[in-house]
Amino acid sequence: MKESAVLFGKYNNLVGIITDPSPSKVPPIPVAFLILNSGFLHRVGPARLYTKLARSLAKTGFTVLRFDFSGVGDSEPTKDQSPYEVSTVHEAQEAMDLLSLKRGINKFVLTGICSGANHSLRIASSDPRVVGAVPIEIYTYITTSYYLHYYLRHGLKYRTWLNLLKGNIKISRSFRFLIGILRKGAEPPPAEADRIWVLPPVEKVASNIRDLVHRGVCLCFIYAKGSASYYNYRTHVKNMTRELKSFNKIQILEFEEADHTFTPLSQQDSIINAICEWSQSTVTPKETPQNLEDVKAPV
């Protein structure tokens, strides 16, 4: 394995690290990974997860580029006045161009946590060179199913009943709220002025997923159930695309004990192993894609 720093982009302002597999031990695979910033975190990722992931993928034969978008980490701000949603797509495409020129690779898999996951779907939809994406903790929607799972999950906990007996839970208020949800459905997200990040319409996300699957892009959605404040049931993605039949292109992995940024080292090892196994069995050209079912990740 070899790592080298690179400076690239239209304005030569983007900083990244290319991690190459060792040719003497693992034959290089003609598919490269791009690891995208999580919010404004440096390209090492939360708790150095991106660095560990890049090195593990390289050991299995993949070339990996983890880089900072303009204005993040070591990358200088761009001179372009394009909106962030547009500039991130262009900069990811420049990263692909770099690996095409330097390594002769023309197929790519995108991954990232939170906003990096959001970027991965938008970039994948914008460039046909993307053959796979691993969105980690991508945007989710508070739906009626979410509330049903939430109340069922908490209703089975001993502490919930203890708080109820102590009078710490207003059961009448909770019951009225649940009945209202069942009658009217979940409330839409707050208006843009009330949020830092505004979720795109669920119909748009579902349409993007359908388009990617029909294009042959393999998707692996990863969620941390330890951050159950906004994700708590396994059919979330499928519920957005009920009519989609090509689910052999979609895998959903859950990690019971992980938090939003996969801080515990044991969970980091689990997610890294899961991504490496998925990439070898799914996006490696020499292998036939398997019929992937939803599976529960090891904890």
Side-chain angles (χ1 to χ4, degrees):
M1 182 182 66
K2 179 182 178 181
E3 292 187 312
S4 53
V6 290
L7 192 63
F8 67 99
K10 180 180 179 181
Y11 301 105
N12 211 36
N13 66 316
L14 303 177
V15 178
I17 301 291
I18 298 178
T19 306
D20 289 300
S22 173
S24 61
K25 294 183 179 180
V26 181
I29 297 172
V31 177
F33 269 76
L34 297 185
I35 304 183
L36 311 175
N37 288 117
S38 174
F40 292 102
L41 293 181
H42 189 274
R43 63 184 175 278
V44 299
R48 300 188 73 249
L49 176 60
Y50 286 4
T51 300
K52 299 174 186 177
L53 175 59
R55 293 172 179 174
S56 294
L57 285 168
K59 289 179 180 178
T60 64
F62 290 94
T63 297
V64 183
L65 171 57
R66 49 189 176 90
F67 70 99
D68 294 324
F69 287 119
S70 57
V72 180
D74 291 323
S75 293
E76 296 181 357
T78 180
K79 298 177 182 178
D80 196 336
Q81 298 301 315
S82 299
Y84 186 61
E85 292 77 10
V86 175
S87 65
T88 49
V89 173
H90 291 166
E91 290 166 5
Q93 290 174 325
E94 290 174 335
M96 296 183 217
D97 294 340
L98 174 72
L99 291 179
S100 296
L101 178 64
K102 299 289 187 180
R103 301 294 187 269
I105 299 176
N106 294 297
K107 294 182 179 180
F108 302 91
V109 178
L110 311 177
T111 187
I113 293 178
C114 192
S115 62
N118 304 343
H119 295 323
S120 71
L121 279 192
R122 289 191 297 103
I123 296 165
S125 299
S126 304
D127 199 297
R129 292 175 293 180
V130 178
V131 297
V134 186
I136 305 170
E137 288 282 272
I138 199 170
Y139 25 55
T140 53
Y141 297 84
I142 304 302
T143 63
T144 301
S145 296
Y146 165 85
Y147 285 112
L148 291 174
H149 284 81
Y150 175 87
Y151 279 99
L152 177 61
R153 180 176 180 176
H154 285 270
L156 297 176
K157 290 183 177 180
Y158 166 78
R159 185 177 297 276
T160 300
W161 292 98
L162 183 62
N163 286 331
L164 181 63
L165 292 175
K166 290 181 178 180
N168 296 333
I169 296 178
K170 304 298 182 181
I171 188 170
S172 58
R173 180 188 304 173
S174 298
F175 184 74
R176 289 197 301 270
F177 178 77
L178 181 59
I179 293 299
I181 289 296
L182 293 176
R183 287 179 176 177
K184 303 178 183 179
E187 296 181 0
E192 182 172 351
D194 299 326
R195 295 174 61 91
I196 297 176
W197 171 260
V198 180
L199 295 176
V202 64
E203 296 80 7
K204 182 177 180 179
V205 176
S207 177
N208 285 348
I209 294 174
R210 285 194 295 268
D211 291 344
L212 290 172
V213 169
H214 289 311
R215 201 181 84 197
V217 177
C218 298
L219 301 172
C220 180
F221 292 89
I222 294 180
Y223 291 102
K225 290 196 73 175
S227 60
S229 58
Y230 70 106
Y231 172 84
N232 63 7
Y233 67 103
R234 302 190 66 228
T235 57
H236 173 81
V237 175
K238 283 192 174 182
N239 283 354
M240 292 195 299
T241 55
R242 287 185 181 278
E243 76 283 10
L244 190 60
K245 298 181 179 180
S246 304
F247 277 112
N248 62 317
K249 292 291 184 181
I250 295 180
Q251 186 170 3
I252 303 171
L253 299 178
E254 289 181 342
F255 292 81
E256 292 284 351
E257 304 300 326
D259 56 26
H260 179 60
T261 55
F262 288 80
T263 305
L265 295 181
S266 61
Q267 294 303 304
Q268 288 196 2
D269 291 339
S270 294
I271 188 176
I272 288 171
N273 291 335
I275 293 174
C276 288
E277 290 175 5
W278 174 84
S279 60
Q280 286 181 297
S281 65
T282 308
V283 299
T284 304
K286 62 183 178 182
E287 297 184 8
T288 302
Q290 301 175 4
N291 184 16
L292 299 175
E293 299 292 338
D294 287 1
V295 298
K296 196 170 187 178
V299 297

